[in-house]
Amino acid sequence: MKPPAPPAVRQRAKPVPTAWRGDLKSILISRNEIRDRLKEMAAAIEADHQKRDLVVVSVLTGTVLFLADLIRHISLPMRLDFIGVSSYRNATKPGQLVFTKELGIDVQGRDVLLIDDILDTGQTLHRVIGKLRQLKPRRIRTCVLLSKSARRVKKIKAHYVGFEVPDEFVVGYGLDFAERYRNLPFIGVLKPEIYQQAAS
Ligand code: IMP
Ligand code: MG
């Protein structure tokens, strides 16, 4: 069965907390919206993986908040591992992809749930899936918090998508710009002057 389309974010005006007003244009997804959607995602993952001993492979570093909040709603036996990939080098444009951490758990013959923060051009997930396939898992399912379909280059779709977002650079809830803003409990849109400043 085809999974239902992820909700597109509603661009209602949500006030940006004072501490972040200089950096963010707007809040795109509030912490409550994230919390509610994660429960739905966890339920879908649980339903699809009954009686499976899962290996959750999470892409560093942007997934840490998402992962931690998502898996506490999944009541299935699982092991957790991380794979390190670095692509965005101090800019909003992708650089070369480098693996910075390899898997420690053997995934051969296993059901893998691959988690990333955002599916943008698709280059990262494409590379990571290619690498995982060489390790001969039984099946790989992919799960992302956000999808920015407008920028997709690689023909790739995630099985579980939290929210479809517009083509803007977003930060928070794990997502960074130059390694900052990961600690925001919501997803916000970065002011263009912040990354224009950094580029100049
Ligand atoms: P892709 O390879 O173009 O699909 O990009 C995936 C990676 O780029 C993600 O794992 C993020 O680390 C980063 N990325 C893409 N878009 C954004 C964004 O809007 N904000 C923050 N990071 C992003
Ligand atoms: Mg990143």
Side-chain angles (χ1 to χ4, degrees), residues 2 5 12 16 22 29 44 48 70 106 117 135-136 143 150 160 164 168:
K2 212 169 150 270
R12 266 189 293 108
V16 177
I29 313 172
D48 289 350
L70 180 74
D106 182 8
D117 51 1
L135 304 172
K136 308 259 184 302
C143 171
Y160 309 98
E164 180 62 45
E168 295 198 85

Side-chain angles (χ1 to χ4, degrees), residues 123-154:
Q123 320 257 28
T124 306
L125 270 194
H126 183 260
R127 275 288 298 280
V128 175
I129 290 168
K131 195 175 169 76
L132 283 177
R133 283 218 178 103
Q134 295 173 358
L135 304 172
K136 308 259 184 302
R138 194 183 83 93
R139 185 171 82 178
I140 303 172
R141 288 265 168 108
T142 49
C143 171
V144 294
L145 177 65
L146 308 177
S147 165
K148 226 190 261 176
S149 299
R151 286 178 29 100
R152 202 81 82 245
V153 173
K154 294 283 179 192

